[in-house]
């Protein structure tokens, strides 16, 4: 239980660091099943499944396109609108199973 509290503190600290980046308005962390772990800013946990699915599809595409048999170490995909950019990333080899989505205003 204590280890889980420590991991939660570390995750929240990392989200705070991301939120302090210029232009960032929200960040969402999702577990390996697509369930929301934590968020900061104006983002709904309701999109956590879609974020995880997008990251999984991007990883599959990158693995297919990669010349390496193990595939990419980190996969990231960007979704852009006129005013916002959402960067979704996951590092499948890290073992944490955490996928992140960072929402930022376009500059």
């Amino acid at each position: 239980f204590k280890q889980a509290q420590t991991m939660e503190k570390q995750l929240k600290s990392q989200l705070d660091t991301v939120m302090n980046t210029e232009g960032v308005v929200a960040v969402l962390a999702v577990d390996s099943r697509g369930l929301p772990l934590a968020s900061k800013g104006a983002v709904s946990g309701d999109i956590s499944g879609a974020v995880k699915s997008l990251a999984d599809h991007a990883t599959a595409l990158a693995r297919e396109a990669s010349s390496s048999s193990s595939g990419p170490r980190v996969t990231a995909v960007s979704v852009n609108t006129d005013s916002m950019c959402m960067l979704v990333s996951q590092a499948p080899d890290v073992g944490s199973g955490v996928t992140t989505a960072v929402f930022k205003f376009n500059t």
Side-chain angles (χ1 to χ4, degrees):
F1 182 72
K2 189 171 184 159
Q3 183 180 5
Q5 287 179 325
T6 301
M7 290 172 61
E8 183 179 0
K9 277 185 177 182
Q10 289 174 339
L11 179 60
K12 288 184 178 186
S13 174
Q14 290 173 344
L15 295 183
D16 286 337
T17 300
V18 172
M19 284 296 293
N20 288 328
T21 303
E22 185 178 341
V24 172
V25 295
V27 61
L28 172 67
V30 178
D31 74 7
S32 61
R33 296 171 301 188
L35 300 173
L37 292 172
S39 65
K40 296 278 185 176
V43 62
S44 170
D46 293 345
I47 67 165
S48 62
V51 165
K52 176 64 175 145
S53 179
L54 180 62
D56 288 344
H57 287 292
T59 298
L61 290 169
R63 187 173 292 121
E64 191 67 29
S66 176
S67 60
S68 160
S69 61
S70 64
R73 291 174 34 100
V74 175
T75 302
V77 62
S78 177
V79 177
N80 297 291
T81 67
D82 290 344
S83 61
M84 296 278 291
C85 173
M86 177 181 69
L87 179 65
V88 177
S89 64
Q90 68 180 6
D93 63 334
V94 173
S96 67
V98 176
T99 299
T100 57
V102 177
F103 299 82
K104 189 173 180 177
F105 283 123
N106 289 333
T107 54

